[in-house]
Amino acid sequence: MSAPVQLAPDDERRLEQHRPELTGYCYRMLGSAFEAEDAVQETLVRAWRGLDRFEGRSALRSWLYRIATNVCFDMLKGRQRRALPMDLGPAQAAEARLLGPELPAATWVEPAPDARLRGPGADPAELAEWRDSVRLAFVATLQHLPPLQRAVLILREVLQWRAAEVAELLDSTVPAVNSALQRARATLAARDVDADEPPRTLGEAKQGLLDRYVDAFERYDMDALTSLLQEDAAWSMPPYALWLATHDDIRRWCLGPGAGCRGSRLVPTAANAAPAYGQYKPSGRPGEHAPWALQVLEVADGRIAGITFYLDTARYFPLFGLPDRLTG
């Protein structure tokens, strides 16, 4: 990435006001909050260096999206797509021997704090659409698209740009943009994702459900916990590829290989417009709990549809502003 440059105050304000929405765009493109931050920083540096050549022939916002798209294309060249454990293979039994090796961070679609992404407007429909477009499952599905189709789908379906605007941004044509959008939609349809489906919102996640989840997890009551899950709820633990999909296997894991989580405490946060918790398990010292996982919950139809446990706390807890331990 380019070295930082010093911006004049007025130019810095002009560019920085676009940082949150650009971060949301780059996150959807790249599947990583860390890479999205790098991409946006590179975008703003390139924009600053080109301001004297920017003649206002297009809106500043459109010009920044053009730069950001090219930065993302560069970063995606030759890279393996990011995924969730469910994308790597079928659900398995709750046996520690099946856990497998830790896979590198670049393997995974990573969580992103809501505050780092573009803040939604006050309109309820806009809020619902924003929430749906940053869900872990949706961002993971986007990674199955080639970069060009990914950009077209995000710009057209998520950001609601007109085909002519996208064609201008990509130095393409309207027929080519429409063709890319059709291919992207076909890929999503093959994966049972409808880009036009009504967005699922956190309004379905009643606070009582989350309160019962925290209570059940902290008491380590498996009967209570599994009663809150959908029958086919996914339970995954990056950086491991193993994931579970039945109540029996989830119970067996929690009472077997995962029994060290008994006595955990949960600290609420928010990731990908979904409920999330910093999980701290007993450290062995009286009254102290140490970081163990960032939990991101998927809620639908009044129950928990999935829980992703990101175990690399050294990577994710600072990103979410979570404390490095709990005492007392």
Side-chain angles (χ1 to χ4, degrees):
M1 292 296 172
S2 303
V5 296
Q6 187 65 41
L7 278 68
D10 288 345
D11 290 332
E12 182 175 12
R13 281 192 295 271
R14 288 174 62 201
L15 298 177
E16 282 292 331
Q17 67 180 335
H18 297 283
R19 182 184 289 271
E21 64 173 303
L22 289 172
T23 302
Y25 174 63
C26 292
Y27 173 69
R28 296 179 185 96
M29 286 289 294
L30 301 170
S32 165
F34 300 99
E35 288 192 351
E37 294 284 354
D38 289 343
V40 172
Q41 187 60 33
E42 176 70 8
T43 295
L44 296 180
V45 168
R46 291 187 189 183
W48 164 248
R49 289 176 172 164
L51 271 178
D52 59 336
R53 300 186 300 277
F54 177 62
E55 300 174 356
R57 289 174 293 183
S58 62
L60 177 62
R61 179 172 179 262
S62 300
W63 184 56
L64 290 173
Y65 268 92
R66 175 195 289 264
I67 299 172
T69 300
N70 289 329
V71 170
C72 290
F73 285 172
D74 289 343
M75 293 177 68
L76 289 167
K77 285 179 181 175
R79 292 197 183 184
Q80 179 180 352
R81 67 173 177 85
R82 290 178 177 268
L84 294 175
M86 292 72 74
D87 298 315
L88 302 183
Q92 299 188 59
E95 299 179 23
R97 65 181 180 83
L98 300 177
L99 195 58
E102 294 186 19
L103 300 177
T107 305
W108 307 112
V109 170
E110 299 186 292
D114 288 0
R116 299 289 183 97
L117 306 176
R118 181 189 181 192
D123 180 76
E126 181 182 345
L127 174 61
E129 186 173 352
W130 174 79
R131 283 173 168 168
D132 203 55
S133 72
V134 296
R135 290 186 302 116
L136 277 177
F138 183 73
V139 175
T141 300
L142 289 175
Q143 309 310 302
H144 288 271
L145 301 175
L148 177 62
Q149 292 180 29
R150 197 180 309 177
V152 168
L153 184 82
I154 296 169
L155 291 167
R156 291 282 286 118
E157 299 289 349
V158 175
L159 301 180
Q160 300 296 307
W161 286 38
R162 296 191 300 272
E165 295 174 319
V166 177
E168 181 179 359
L169 181 146
L170 296 173
D171 290 327
S172 186
T173 65
V174 168
V177 165
N178 289 336
S179 176
L181 180 59
Q182 290 174 359
R183 294 195 301 273
R185 282 176 165 174
T187 299
L188 266 59
R191 302 190 62 81
D192 296 323
V193 177
D194 184 352
D196 293 324
E197 69 178 343
R200 293 181 291 173
T201 75
L202 287 183
E204 301 171 16
K206 304 296 184 182
Q207 188 59 46
L209 172 66
L210 301 179
D211 291 343
R212 291 194 298 275
Y213 171 75
V214 171
D215 176 67
F217 198 97
E218 291 188 339
R219 289 189 298 107
Y220 223 59
D221 183 338
M222 290 300 110
D223 288 335
L225 191 148
T226 54
S227 73
L228 304 175
L229 306 179
Q230 293 185 355
E231 288 296 329
D232 59 350
W235 180 286
S236 60
M237 299 162 284
Y240 300 103
L242 173 73
W243 66 283
L244 311 172
T246 71
H247 286 186
D248 287 343
D249 278 329
I250 291 171
R251 181 194 302 269
R252 192 173 296 115
W253 182 270
C254 290
L255 298 178
C261 290
R262 188 186 299 274
S264 289
R265 293 174 59 187
L266 302 183
V267 175
T269 184
N272 297 78
Y277 298 93
Q279 178 191 342
Y280 297 78
K281 72 176 189 177
S283 68
R285 298 178 180 178
E288 182 180 272
H289 288 69
W292 179 249
L294 175 72
Q295 302 183 8
V296 183
L297 278 60
E298 176 89 4
V299 178
D301 301 325
R303 301 181 79 180
I304 297 171
I307 309 174
T308 305
F309 295 77
Y310 286 94
L311 302 182
D312 189 351
T313 57
R315 182 173 177 83
Y316 300 118
F317 273 38
L319 179 67
F320 283 81
L322 291 165
D324 61 1
R325 64 191 60 252
L326 299 180
T327 57

